[in-house]
Amino acid sequence: MNELLNAIFVIILTLNLFALGNGRLLSVIRIVAFQGILLGILPLLIHSHLTFSVILSSLAAITLKGLVIPGIMKKALRDVQIKREVEPLVGLLPSTIIGAVLTAVVFLVYRRINPVDQSHLSLIIPTSISVIFVGFILLTTRVKAISQVLGYLLLENGIYIFSLLLIEAIPLVVEMGMLLDLFVSIFIVSIITNHINRAFSSLDTRMLSALKE
Amino acid sequence: MINLIIHLALFLIFPPFLLGVINKTKALFAGRKGAPFFQTYYDIFKLLRKGMVISSTTTWIFGAAPLITLSAVLTAGTLMPLGSSPALFSFTGDFLLFAYLFGLARFFTTTAALDTGSAFEGMGASREVTFAALTEPALFFAFLVLVKLSGSLTLTGMLSSNFDSLIYPGSTAPLVMVSIGLFIVFLTENSRIPVDDPNTHLELTMIHEVMILDHSGPLLGIIEYASSLKLFLLGSILLNIIIPAYTHSLWLNWFIFTMAMIGLSVIVGILESSIARLKMPRVPSLLIAAVLLCGSAFILLLR
């Protein structure tokens, strides 16, 4: 069970790197959706006994993160008609390498500050922090609004992994509230991008800072 | 004894069949009937019966290169355990010899391509060497991970000890990463689709095909056979990592291994029909991703 968990964590980390290195927005959406489905499987594996709340949270994560949100994003992508990210602030390959180096640093530092071997939870915290970092990279180095939303989604995925540690303590309502929050924000941002596109004929967020009356 | 016979027969006769499986899968996806499974054998036999046209600008290297490639790959094959069966020869550090025999084969293929004096073939050789420089670190990191996990410096020890997670705690995560990295290496080394398309002759993205354009007749047949052997060998590294356990029955083990090999070919065929070839400048990023993956797996083990 523990080995299976760790295997899923490294697949999540691998998907991070592919999300950073991929220039086609549709593929990045697919990658993030796949990561969401993997995240949904995690609560089922982490707990020895399946309670109603665990199953519900897993199902909600799979439907929202794996199906609904990517669906909304794909629709937004179709509406604004962009296919690939042109000239991100940091190139695709450098950002992949930065992401990989950050992941390695997180793993090494975590080992240094926490030498106690917590047998079965050993990969949760470094994985979640790495996913958060990669989300940050996507969020800060891309210029298209939709890529930034994808970065935000990755960030949220990292937080979700972290919250798995506390799943016994966090009540179901809080968990559902977080998911609802995410869903609503993505929904709104997708609508907003559509409007930005209609008003300014570009989704380049750098232009938004030069807005005038 | 019977194990040895199956081992040799599978290694020497089976590989061209895999190319047939890949092509059949691709044909099915495209809605065609496709060439028969044994087409590669027919092609090789047809080529072996034909005469050769050799350019007058070439030297002896041009003729010797396919033979050296074939013998290097065959020698590498004797070091590789297949399924549950150990390798024919095994000694400490043989994985280095294995990797460098592939290096030797590649050296002579590219030298023969340069030997023809054609600018086009030189371009292919340059691409082949560029990508090989990136796949080799990935392969070596993967070997390092396996050495660290199994504590053995031979290919047989590394690959046929089934990595039971009870014996090697924490081995699944690095092995998953190594398998993904090795799969990318497998596709690149065999000129499969995200990197190179073996079925077309387009100037923009050709790598392996362009280097053998001037070879004809028996030499071309030998090259085809050697490249199918290469596919088989690199695939069996991957399979030895992925297949978790073998039974005690000899026939069942060989059956599992053969089926897994065919399954791998089907996966390659599906991949080739579903994704497009990468742009040439984007290929190095894929390969660097493979190096990073295998490197991180090593870090994960060492930390």
Side-chain angles (χ1 to χ4, degrees), chain A residues 3 7 10-11 14 21 93 100 107, chain B residues 165 170-173 282 285 292 300:
Chain A
E3 294 288 320
V10 293
I11 295 177
T14 312
L93 187 57
F107 270 79
Chain B
S165 51
S171 67
T172 314
R282 302 271 298 125
S285 15
L292 288 176
L300 208 62

Side-chain angles (χ1 to χ4, degrees), chain B residues 78-81 86-94 152-157:
Chain B
T78 57
L79 301 171
M80 170 59 61
L88 300 182
F89 299 108
S90 179
F91 50 89
T92 308
D94 56 0
S152 158
L153 281 170
T154 63
L155 274 176
T156 307

Side-chain angles (χ1 to χ4, degrees), chain A residues 52-197:
Chain A
F52 174 69
S53 70
V54 169
I55 293 176
L56 190 65
S57 114
S58 155
L59 274 182
I62 290 180
T63 10
L64 273 183
K65 284 175 186 285
L67 304 171
V68 179
I69 291 177
I72 297 174
M73 302 277 303
K74 273 181 200 163
K75 187 172 179 308
L77 200 64
R78 245 199 331 274
D79 288 344
V80 299
Q81 299 199 333
I82 42 172
K83 288 228 159 40
R84 54 181 71 218
E85 170 87 38
V86 274
E87 50 138 1
L89 294 181
V90 177
L92 295 174
L93 187 57
S95 57
T96 316
I97 295 175
I98 295 174
V101 169
L102 271 178
T103 308
V105 167
V106 167
F107 270 79
L108 292 173
V109 170
Y110 177 72
R111 188 63 173 184
R112 182 59 56 85
I113 60 175
N114 188 6
V116 192
D117 189 28
Q118 308 162 297
S119 55
H120 76 288
L121 295 176
S122 54
L123 282 185
I124 284 192
I125 295 176
T127 307
S128 78
I129 297 173
S130 314
V131 177
I132 291 174
F133 272 138
V134 170
F136 264 129
I137 296 175
L138 266 183
L139 199 57
T140 48
T141 64
R142 301 292 156 96
V143 293
K144 288 279 191 305
I146 291 193
S147 311
Q148 296 181 348
V149 177
L150 285 167
Y152 172 62
L153 259 177
L154 272 187
L155 204 76
E156 182 65 35
N157 281 351
I159 297 170
Y160 184 86
I161 298 175
F162 201 85
S163 77
L164 287 177
L165 272 181
L166 308 168
I167 201 165
E168 307 278 345
I170 292 184
L172 186 63
V173 184
V174 179
E175 189 88 8
M176 293 296 120
M178 272 165 57
L179 279 175
L180 186 69
D181 213 27
L182 179 68
F183 174 64
V184 170
S185 41
I186 300 290
F187 196 66
I188 292 172
V189 170
S190 303
I191 295 172
I192 288 177
T193 46
N194 201 1
H195 280 276
I196 295 177
N197 191 49

Side-chain angles (χ1 to χ4, degrees), chain B residues 20-101:
Chain B
V21 173
I22 294 178
N23 285 334
K24 197 78 171 176
T25 317
K26 285 167 77 172
L28 281 181
F29 263 78
R32 290 180 282 121
K33 190 153 160 277
F37 282 117
F38 296 102
Q39 185 62 44
T40 324
Y41 296 98
Y42 304 148
D43 284 348
I44 291 173
F45 282 124
K46 181 190 74 185
L47 287 169
L48 288 180
R49 284 201 312 270
K50 289 200 166 189
M52 281 189 283
V53 181
I54 293 182
S55 157
S56 57
T57 60
T58 56
T59 58
W60 62 272
I61 289 184
F62 184 78
L67 297 171
I68 297 176
T69 307
L70 180 65
S71 40
V73 175
L74 281 175
T75 319
T78 57
L79 301 171
M80 170 59 61
L82 302 179
S84 61
S85 165
L88 300 182
F89 299 108
S90 179
F91 50 89
T92 308
D94 56 0
F95 65 96
L96 287 172
L97 181 62
F98 178 81
Y100 283 116
L101 279 170

Side-chain angles (χ1 to χ4, degrees), chain B residues 100-174:
Chain B
Y100 283 116
L101 279 170
F102 275 122
L104 182 71
R106 188 181 301 114
F107 174 76
F108 272 97
T109 314
T110 48
T111 316
L114 290 172
D115 193 41
T116 60
S118 143
F120 194 31
E121 301 211 8
M123 182 194 73
S126 139
R127 286 173 178 171
E128 169 88 6
V129 173
T130 313
F131 295 153
L134 291 168
T135 52
E136 222 152 71
L139 191 64
F140 272 104
F141 268 124
F143 279 143
L144 271 179
V145 169
L146 293 175
V147 165
K148 176 91 176 129
L149 271 180
S150 65
S152 158
L153 281 170
T154 63
L155 274 176
T156 307
M158 267 153 57
L159 292 171
S160 42
S161 59
N162 301 319
F163 297 105
D164 196 338
S165 51
L166 297 174
I167 306 173
Y168 305 102
S171 67
T172 314

